[in-house]
């Protein structure tokens, strides 16, 4: 395993895995230690034949299970330095959902938006009522299975497919009825168009829910998209602050703060996040969305700073890339629109084990190891739903689902892949399942595996100690030094202005009772002892 920060790591390519929107595909790539995020994003979009790349980004989960977007203008290594070198996983996702997908110039870009929305529907982020869910589910069936065939589609054929987060028998029957009687003859491209038209007008379109609490301690979910900032309680949309109402966005510790103008009055609304790191992530997402959709030009975008305090410098964010208006007005795309390669990716509920990667065939393409692979783990994403109901209706809650479980599964698969290359004697057993249904790895190997784990743990503990020293201890020492310096200047200098301050009774009493005794002690202890 490459050791981050070692002498040999500067010129050693760092391997990483990219999970695409179609779960059947992974890409293996490499990047240099000084390479910026924009370079990796561009290579992936080039591999996918995407020109309208500004809508997409790479997401990853750090060692503390906090999600981040890979910042294009910063070094990749500096952003993921706390991750294990052999377990670097990025997820290729839609970062900025276009308000109108049909203003995009190419069908291949719209197809990626369709894959993202299909994914959002499956994992509960694209929340909708029962009738809307049935329509969207039927559209997906027609797009990927084609016309209803009584010889192939028998009994409850939807029951074995994963389309929605919560599929009831009543809902599955409605999906099958629509598929059988209303969509005959529709092509995949036509169904994707109808799906996009329906999905892009939903309240939760483009919303990635963030768990927060209001000032009364009520559990809410914060959503940010092209329209502004939305709040949900359960399935009910509580507030919608449009970008035209938002004057300022900042955060302090765990508090995410929105400054708005409502009814011609300035108001400040705060939401408490679970951790300071999650609050900083929400703030960055909100700032990026507002800048991308509201500014006329990227050259007009200012640098943004927030979160500063007495013991911290604050967080500075520099926007990188084009804004939406520049993308829509770009007339340089003159190529003939490339054909869209559609691969059916509906998975079955019964497939619970990831495939054992015993026979890997790797094709090197433009710096990538492209490896299509079926990923069929039913517990792919971590569900943090606040409702355990099995029904999809208007009383259901808005689900917020992290990709941590998906990340964990992919890291396991990637680690297996790298270890097979390095060590032919590694044996993997995927038959043992954890208490939460996720697969556990039992490896029989030589002592290299344990040694690598100890090295990684030591590096991470060292970086954690340095981080604590830099962020907490040094600011405290600096503040104490400045306080002592100010006291000495006030009590020892001969300036007339300061002399007036020294005459104050409180200052005089402090000098007599505390400062002079401390000064005499230090002189006797450290200076006069050396003279004699």
């Amino acid at each position: 395993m490459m050791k981050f920060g070692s002498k040999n790591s500067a010129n050693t390519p760092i391997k990483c895995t990219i999970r695409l929107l179609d779960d059947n595909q992974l890409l293996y790539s490499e990047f240099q230690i000084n390479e910026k995020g924009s370079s990796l994003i561009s290579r992936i979009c080039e591999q996918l034949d995407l020109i309208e790349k500004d809508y997409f980004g790479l997401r990853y989960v750090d060692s503390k299970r906090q999600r981040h977007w890979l910042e294009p203008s910063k070094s990749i290594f500096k952003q993921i330095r706390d991750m294990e070198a052999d377990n670097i996983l990025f997820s290729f996702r839609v970062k900025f959902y276009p308000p109108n997908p049909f203003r995009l110039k190419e069908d291949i870009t719209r197809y990626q938006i369709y894959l993202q929305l299909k994914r959002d529907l499956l994992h509960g982020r694209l929340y909708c009522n029962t009738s809307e869910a049935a329509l969207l589910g039927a559209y997906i069936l027609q797009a990927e299975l084609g016309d209803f065939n009584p010889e192939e589609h028998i009994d409850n054929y939807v029951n074995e497919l994963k389309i929605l987060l919560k599929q009831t028998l009543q809902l599955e029957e409605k999906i099958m009825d629509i598929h059988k009687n209303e969509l005959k003859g529709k092509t995949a491209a036509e169904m994707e168009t109808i799906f996009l038209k329906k999905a892009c007008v939903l309240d939760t379109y483009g919303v990635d829910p963030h768990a927060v609490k209001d000032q009364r301690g009520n559990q809410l979910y914060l959503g940010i998209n092209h329209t502004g900032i939305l709040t949900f309680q359960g399935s009910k949309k509580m507030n919608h602050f449009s970008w035209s109402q938002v004057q300022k966005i900042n955060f302090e510790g765990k508090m995410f703060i929105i400054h708005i103008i409502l009814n011609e009055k300035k108001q400040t609304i705060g939401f408490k996040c679970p951790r300071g790191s999650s609050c900083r992530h929400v703030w960055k997402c909100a700032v990026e969305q507002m800048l991308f959709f509201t500014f006329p030009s990227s050259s007009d975008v200012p640098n943004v700073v927030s979160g500063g305090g007495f013991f911290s410098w604050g967080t500075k964010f520099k926007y990188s890339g084009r804004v939406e208006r520049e993308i829509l007005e770009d007339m340089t795309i003159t190529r003939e629109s490339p054909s869209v390669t559609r691969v059916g990716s509906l998975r079955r509920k019964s497939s619970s084990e990831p495939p054992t990667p015993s026979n890997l065939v790797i094709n090197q393409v433009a710096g990538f190891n492209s490896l299509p692979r079926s990923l069929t783990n039913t517990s792919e994403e971590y569900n943090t739903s606040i409702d355990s109901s099995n029904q999809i209706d208007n009383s259901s809650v808005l689900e917020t689902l992290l990709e941590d479980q998906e990340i964990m599964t992919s890291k396991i698969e990637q680690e297996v892949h790298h270890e097979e290359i390095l060590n032919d004697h590694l044996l993997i057993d995927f038959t043992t399942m954890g208490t939460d249904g996720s697969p556990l790895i039992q490896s029989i190997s030589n002592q290299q595996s344990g040694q690598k784990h100890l090295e990684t743990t030591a590096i991470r503990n060292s970086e954690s100690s340095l981080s604590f020293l830099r962020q907490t201890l040094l600011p405290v020492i600096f503040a104490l030094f400045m306080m002592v310096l100010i006291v000495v200047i006030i009590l020892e200098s001969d300036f007339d202005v300061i002399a007036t301050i020294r005459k104050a009774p409180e200052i005089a009493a402090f000098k007599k009772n505390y400062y002079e005794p401390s000064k005499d002690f230090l002189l006797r202890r450290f200076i006069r002892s050396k003279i004699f």
Side-chain angles (χ1 to χ4, degrees):
M1 180 183 70
M2 188 194 71
K3 196 172 181 180
F4 279 172
S6 63
K7 294 181 179 180
N8 296 327
S9 64
N11 298 320
T12 303
I14 303 171
K15 299 181 181 298
C16 64
T17 303
I18 296 93
R19 177 189 288 271
L20 301 181
L21 287 167
D22 183 350
D23 283 335
N24 293 318
Q25 290 186 328
L26 299 176
L27 294 179
Y28 292 100
S29 183
E30 297 177 347
F31 61 89
Q32 298 295 327
I33 194 169
N34 295 321
E35 191 171 347
K36 293 186 177 181
S38 58
S39 178
L40 182 59
I41 296 173
S42 296
R43 289 207 303 273
I44 296 171
C45 289
E46 182 180 352
Q47 174 72 9
L48 298 175
D49 206 8
L50 292 171
I51 292 182
E52 299 169 286
K53 60 183 180 181
D54 303 85
Y55 293 98
F56 304 93
L58 293 176
R59 194 160 63 187
Y60 66 96
V61 178
D62 64 18
S63 59
K64 298 179 181 178
R65 303 191 74 178
Q66 174 59 50
R67 288 185 299 173
H68 302 273
W69 286 104
L70 186 69
E71 295 190 33
S73 61
K74 292 185 178 180
S75 164
I76 302 174
F77 168 75
K78 289 182 179 179
Q79 297 181 65
I80 52 94
R81 65 167 67 240
D82 66 333
M83 297 172 66
E84 294 182 10
D86 285 347
N87 289 315
I88 300 174
L89 174 69
F90 297 107
S91 295
F92 180 75
R93 298 289 181 260
V94 176
K95 187 175 184 179
F96 303 107
Y97 290 70
N100 183 359
F102 300 99
R103 295 190 67 185
L104 298 172
K105 294 180 173 62
E106 296 195 328
D107 291 336
I108 194 170
T109 312
R110 268 187 292 275
Y111 180 65
Q112 295 296 325
I113 304 296
Y114 162 76
L115 291 178
Q116 177 69 72
L117 290 172
K118 188 179 69 169
R119 186 182 183 82
D120 292 345
L121 184 67
L122 172 62
H123 298 299
R125 289 186 290 269
L126 186 64
Y127 176 79
C128 50
N129 59 37
T130 303
S131 58
E132 292 169 334
L135 280 172
L136 294 175
Y139 296 160
I140 294 174
L141 275 186
Q142 181 67 22
E144 304 207 12
L145 301 183
D147 290 341
F148 174 81
N149 186 338
E151 296 181 358
E152 295 181 6
H153 306 141
I154 57 176
D155 298 328
N156 186 359
Y157 59 96
V158 179
N159 181 257
E160 292 299 315
L161 303 175
K162 296 177 63 177
I163 301 176
L164 303 169
L165 179 65
K166 297 175 181 177
Q167 294 181 194
T168 64
L169 178 60
Q170 181 182 4
L171 183 56
E172 290 172 347
E173 290 176 348
K174 194 170 184 178
I175 292 174
M176 290 186 292
D177 181 65
I178 297 172
H179 179 221
K180 178 180 179 180
N181 300 315
E182 300 181 22
L183 304 177
K184 185 176 181 180
K186 299 289 185 180
T187 65
E190 290 174 329
M191 294 317 306
E192 290 164 12
T193 298
I194 298 174
F195 181 95
L196 288 175
K197 287 181 179 179
K198 183 69 177 177
C200 71
V201 297
L202 297 175
D203 286 338
T204 52
Y205 171 72
V207 167
D208 188 11
H210 305 275
V212 297
K213 291 184 178 181
D214 62 12
Q215 296 177 350
R216 298 180 180 179
N218 298 319
Q219 179 69 55
L220 300 176
Y221 288 95
L222 205 65
I224 306 162
N225 63 9
H226 64 279
T227 64
I229 300 175
L230 305 91
T231 60
F232 297 87
Q233 188 171 34
S235 62
K236 184 180 180 181
K237 184 175 73 172
M238 302 297 293
N239 299 104
H240 179 203
F241 308 112
S242 65
W243 291 128
S244 60
Q245 295 175 317
V246 177
Q247 301 298 303
K248 181 182 177 182
I249 305 171
N250 67 310
F251 76 96
E252 296 178 5
K254 298 180 181 180
M255 290 299 297
F256 175 69
I257 304 169
I258 310 171
H259 303 263
I260 64 171
I261 294 181
L262 194 61
N263 298 326
E264 298 182 354
K265 294 182 180 180
K266 293 184 178 180
Q267 297 186 22
T268 302
I269 303 173
F271 301 95
K272 187 175 182 180
C273 300
R275 300 180 304 276
S277 58
S278 59
C279 188
R280 185 166 55 251
H281 175 65
V282 174
W283 173 75
K284 282 187 177 182
C285 290
V287 169
E288 280 192 292
Q289 293 285 327
M290 184 177 68
L291 297 178
F292 182 82
F293 288 111
T294 62
F295 271 73
S297 172
S298 56
S299 60
D300 298 329
V301 175
N303 292 338
V304 185
V305 179
S306 182
F310 188 75
F311 295 109
S312 64
W313 295 103
T315 299
K316 182 178 180 181
F317 175 77
K318 183 178 180 180
Y319 182 82
S320 176
R322 298 187 296 176
V323 298
E324 189 199 25
R325 183 176 297 183
E326 291 176 320
I327 301 168
L328 296 177
E329 295 176 353
D330 184 6
M331 305 303 295
T332 60
I333 300 179
T334 58
R335 70 172 183 176
E336 183 179 351
S337 183
S339 60
V340 179
T341 302
R342 294 175 172 86
V343 180
S345 58
L346 284 179
R347 292 167 305 192
R348 297 185 178 276
K349 294 179 183 178
S350 58
S351 300
S352 58
E353 291 187 7
T356 304
S358 56
N359 299 317
L360 298 179
V361 180
I362 302 174
N363 297 320
Q364 189 75 20
V365 181
F368 285 87
N369 292 329
S370 180
L371 178 63
R373 183 187 298 174
S374 175
L375 303 174
T376 53
N377 186 10
T378 56
S379 58
E380 178 194 13
E381 296 205 6
Y382 178 69
N383 183 356
T384 58
S385 168
I386 58 174
D387 183 16
S388 59
S389 170
N390 290 324
Q391 303 293 324
I392 294 184
D393 53 32
N394 291 332
S395 63
S396 297
V397 300
L398 176 71
E399 303 286 345
T400 174
L401 294 155
L402 304 183
E403 296 186 70
D404 297 0
Q405 192 67 25
E406 173 186 8
I407 297 296
M408 189 180 300
T409 303
S410 293
K411 283 185 177 181
I412 290 173
E413 292 182 346
Q414 181 194 2
E415 184 174 0
V416 170
H417 167 65
H418 288 304
E419 289 294 329
E420 283 187 338
I421 294 175
L422 295 174
N423 184 5
D424 295 334
H425 302 290
L426 180 63
L427 303 179
I428 305 299
D429 180 14
F430 284 93
T431 59
T432 304
M433 304 300 292
T435 57
D436 59 349
S438 59
L440 300 177
I441 291 183
Q442 295 180 344
S443 60
I444 303 174
S445 179
N446 55 24
Q447 296 179 353
Q448 291 181 356
S449 177
Q451 183 178 358
K452 290 176 183 178
H453 176 71
L454 293 175
E455 289 178 357
T456 304
T457 303
I459 295 169
R460 183 172 297 164
N461 291 339
S462 176
E463 291 179 351
S464 178
S465 301
L466 291 175
S467 177
F468 172 78
L469 181 66
R470 181 171 60 253
Q471 297 180 8
T472 305
L473 190 57
L474 292 180
V476 171
I477 294 174
F478 178 75
L480 293 175
F481 173 77
M482 292 302 298
M483 291 173 63
V484 172
L485 182 61
I486 292 172
V487 170
V488 172
I489 291 175
I490 292 175
L491 299 181
E492 297 291 344
S493 62
D494 296 329
F495 296 109
D496 294 337
V497 177
I498 298 180
T500 304
I501 298 176
R502 266 202 310 271
K503 292 179 181 179
E506 295 83 358
I507 301 298
F510 174 80
K511 181 177 181 181
K512 179 180 179 181
N513 296 327
Y514 299 101
Y515 180 75
E516 292 293 350
S518 301
K519 178 181 175 181
D520 292 340
F521 172 77
L522 292 174
L523 289 174
R524 289 195 306 270
R525 180 70 178 82
F526 295 104
I527 298 179
R528 293 176 183 174
S529 60
K530 293 182 179 180
I531 296 176
F532 297 102

